[in-house]
Structure formats: structure tokens, C-alpha cells
Amino acid sequence: MFSRYKEFYKKEVVPRLIKETGYKNIHQIPKLEKIVINMGLGEATSNSKIIEQSIAELAKISGQKPVIAKARKSIAAFKLRENQEIGCFVTLRDKKMYDFFDRLINISLPRVRDFKGVSKKSFDGRGNYTLGVKEQLIFAEISYELVEKIKGMNVTIVTTAKNNEDGYKLLKSFNFPFRN
């Protein structure tokens, strides 16, 4: 099984980055390491049914079973108890990562209402990019009729880039839709 975007990386992105950055060794070129999709569910403190729905939706979107995030300590102001389920996340690598990245760029992001591109400012200083999605309905796998509550999520693209410029060049060479 091959991934379309993995082949694209090897055949087009690597030569383009060698030309742009001037790296001599092919192993210096930044690449995608993993993609983490996180759904923080603060309202799960009052309604535990939301966690189950979110896990099912995140499993459909990512293609693998999510891990449940639990509270580390109790916070009375938020009505939060230790070990209470407050979210879910999934870490994608290799083929599933490239397949999700392909669907995110070519199918999901263009479905966002009034989409003009994503900000260049969401890099963390080490070449990793985090993107906030306001509703899960942009993913084609989610049926509008079955959704009871619209939930957002964070998509973090972790790269091997050493700085933001290299991370930006990597994502730009994948045709990531940055704002001009």
C-alpha cells in the first residue's frame, strides 16, 4: 500500500527543498513526523455522553481509535475531578498520516466557509504547525444528520524541521493553503 502524498514527497518535495534550502545531505531535509488531532471537551464534565460521540467521530476522521485524555488533577472552579475524561486525541504516523494530510489539504479545508487560507503565524518556533478547526463537519466522513453538537479540534503537524522557515517551506511545497 502506498500513499499518494508520500510519493509526492519523495519525487517532488525533496528535490524542491534541496534546491531552495541548499542542504547537501538528503537526511537534513525536513519531513512530516506525525499529525496529532486533539479534541478538548470541557462540557464533558456535565455530559459524559459527549465523549463517546467524539471518540466515534474522531475514529471516522482519522481511521484509528482515539485515546481518552483524563484530568491530571481536580479543579473545583471548573467542576473537574482527577481522572475525569475531558477529551480525546489520536496520533497518526506513516501511511495514515499522509492519507489524512492529503484529505485535509484537498477536501476538508476547502469546505470551510469563506476559506481564504491558513495563517503563517501558527508555527511553534521549531517548525511544527498547529491548526484550529472550528467544526468537525468539514470532514467528509462526518454526516451532518448524525451530529448532535458541533465540536472543534486542533490539528498539530509535527515536522523534523529545525526552525519555522524550514517548516514553512516544507508545508508550502506540499501545497498547504497559506494566506498570502
Side-chain angles (χ1 to χ4, degrees):
M1 297 293 273
F2 77 97
S3 176
R4 182 174 83 131
Y5 256 46
K6 192 167 190 169
E7 294 294 316
F8 180 75
Y9 173 76
K10 288 178 182 174
K11 289 188 171 52
E12 298 195 27
V13 174
V14 170
R16 190 181 312 162
L17 288 175
I18 286 176
K19 199 181 296 179
E20 281 181 24
T21 57
Y23 285 134
K24 303 283 186 252
N25 189 335
I26 198 165
H27 297 292
Q28 290 177 302
I29 298 166
K31 62 182 181 224
L32 296 180
E33 197 173 303
K34 63 184 175 183
I35 294 178
V36 180
I37 310 166
N38 175 37
M39 290 178 104
L41 304 163
E43 66 269 11
T45 56
S46 58
N47 183 0
S48 60
K49 193 175 164 190
I50 289 176
I51 291 274
E52 295 163 12
Q53 296 164 350
S54 300
I55 288 172
E57 289 171 357
L58 196 53
K60 279 184 189 174
I61 290 168
S62 65
Q64 72 185 44
K65 187 176 182 232
V67 177
I68 296 171
K70 295 185 177 185
R72 291 188 189 138
K73 60 182 182 179
S74 299
I75 303 172
F78 298 129
K79 296 179 182 157
L80 190 64
R81 291 185 306 278
E82 191 175 343
N83 289 328
Q84 189 174 8
E85 298 175 348
I86 55 169
C88 57
F89 65 94
V90 66
T91 302
L92 303 173
R93 298 176 195 271
D94 295 328
K95 183 182 178 333
K96 286 185 180 181
M97 171 189 65
Y98 281 107
D99 290 343
F100 175 80
F101 192 60
D102 185 8
R103 288 193 325 265
L104 179 72
I105 292 173
N106 297 314
I107 298 169
S108 300
L109 287 178
R111 289 179 65 168
V112 174
R113 221 172 296 136
D114 301 328
F115 185 68
K116 295 177 182 72
V118 295
S119 173
K120 298 175 189 172
K121 297 178 182 173
S122 295
F123 284 95
D124 67 351
R126 294 190 175 99
N128 304 322
Y129 187 81
T130 301
L131 165 75
V133 177
K134 288 188 175 137
E135 53 187 41
Q136 76 274 35
L137 298 172
I138 66 166
F139 295 99
E141 298 86 1
I142 303 297
S143 174
Y144 184 78
E145 295 83 34
L146 300 176
V147 172
E148 286 184 27
K149 185 165 181 17
I150 293 177
K151 295 176 282 291
M153 62 187 73
N154 292 333
V155 178
T156 303
I157 301 164
V158 180
T159 67
T160 59
K162 301 283 184 239
N163 54 37
N164 289 349
E165 295 82 38
D166 287 350
Y168 174 75
K169 287 177 185 173
L170 172 67
L171 293 181
K172 190 70 181 165
S173 59
F174 270 115
N175 301 320
F176 203 72
F178 287 109
R179 243 181 254 136
N180 291 333

